Amino acid sequence: MFKILIAFQGILNENTYKCALTFKDIIFPKNIKVDILFIAWKDSKNVIQDKQINIIYLDDPSTILAKDNYSFINLNRQIKTTSFLLKKFKNKYDYILKLRSDILVSDTRKFKKEFLKAINIPKIWILNIPTFSPRILKPISLKHHYSDWFIGGTPNRLSKLLQLEEIDES
């Protein structure tokens, strides 16, 4: 059995929870088991009463505003959640996909087709252009920052690629 963890990280509210639920609509082959997890910050309001997706609350390492005074750097949030996922689930899953909490699947057949290809390629699956939105290509320059919208790989590959110690964001 090939085990996959799809983990959402970010703001937890009714809308982002509904985004995560769209991944439950994907029907994978019987030899693949997929679990869905939501990582939110402890100071999030628990507005979700339904228990279809496991929610784990972590302490928020906080962040700072980017130079545009609009968006946030979020590096330590990414580091903390990825480090947590790899420490807790490294030996439980063959593949981990980590997504922003507001990502949803609009075409489950196409996503499944591409995902099943990606898990068989010995590489990290990632958006490689930092942007304000993967739907609007407006590249931004954030030093040492990969796109946090979408990253997947085997736990070993992710551990080797990513710097998992918190840093000074300023």
Side-chain angles (χ1 to χ4, degrees):
M1 176 78 53
F2 192 83
K3 295 181 73 179
I4 297 169
L5 176 64
I6 298 177
F8 293 86
Q9 180 262 310
I11 296 169
L12 175 61
N13 57 38
E14 288 183 30
N15 184 52
T16 58
Y17 190 78
K18 285 178 186 174
C19 289
L21 285 175
T22 65
F23 285 78
K24 290 187 76 69
D25 295 335
I26 302 168
I27 299 169
F28 286 98
K30 292 186 188 317
N31 65 331
I32 296 178
K33 180 180 183 332
V34 177
D35 292 325
I36 298 176
L37 172 71
F38 203 113
I39 299 174
W41 307 120
K42 284 183 180 175
D43 58 0
S44 300
K45 293 181 179 156
N46 188 357
V47 296
I48 309 304
Q49 302 304 315
D50 138 9
K51 303 289 184 207
Q52 293 185 61
I53 295 175
N54 187 23
I55 302 170
I56 295 177
Y57 294 92
L58 300 178
D59 290 323
D60 187 351
S62 73
T63 190
I64 61 173
L65 279 171
K67 289 180 182 177
D68 64 6
N69 284 326
Y70 174 75
S71 57
F72 292 94
I73 300 292
N74 282 333
L75 284 174
N76 283 326
R77 287 175 170 165
Q78 294 306 316
I79 291 167
K80 182 167 187 153
T81 55
T82 304
S83 179
F84 170 81
L85 284 171
L86 292 172
K87 284 178 185 167
K88 184 161 177 81
F89 300 111
K90 182 175 190 166
N91 297 320
K92 296 179 182 176
Y93 292 95
D94 301 298
Y95 198 92
I96 296 174
L97 177 63
K98 184 170 157 271
L99 307 166
R100 270 181 57 123
S101 60
D102 55 355
I103 299 288
L104 62 89
V105 173
S106 61
D107 185 338
T108 57
R109 287 180 44 213
K110 183 171 174 69
F111 178 84
K112 180 174 88 172
K113 178 183 171 190
E114 296 304 318
F115 187 63
L116 292 175
K117 277 194 249 177
I119 63 175
N120 290 305
I121 299 171
K123 294 184 177 182
I124 300 290
W125 196 23
I126 189 169
L127 291 177
N128 61 358
I129 299 174
T131 178
F132 287 112
S133 167
R135 294 171 294 280
I136 302 167
L137 187 57
K138 182 180 176 187
I140 56 177
S141 177
L142 292 173
K143 189 176 179 182
H144 311 299
H145 196 288
Y146 66 89
S147 175
D148 61 351
W149 290 82
F150 185 102
I151 185 169
T154 64
N156 286 337
R157 279 201 178 82
L158 292 171
S159 294
K160 288 177 186 173
L161 170 79
L162 301 172
Q163 190 286 116
L164 297 172
E165 299 297 322
E166 289 188 28
I167 63 169
D168 179 0
E169 290 183 342
S170 56

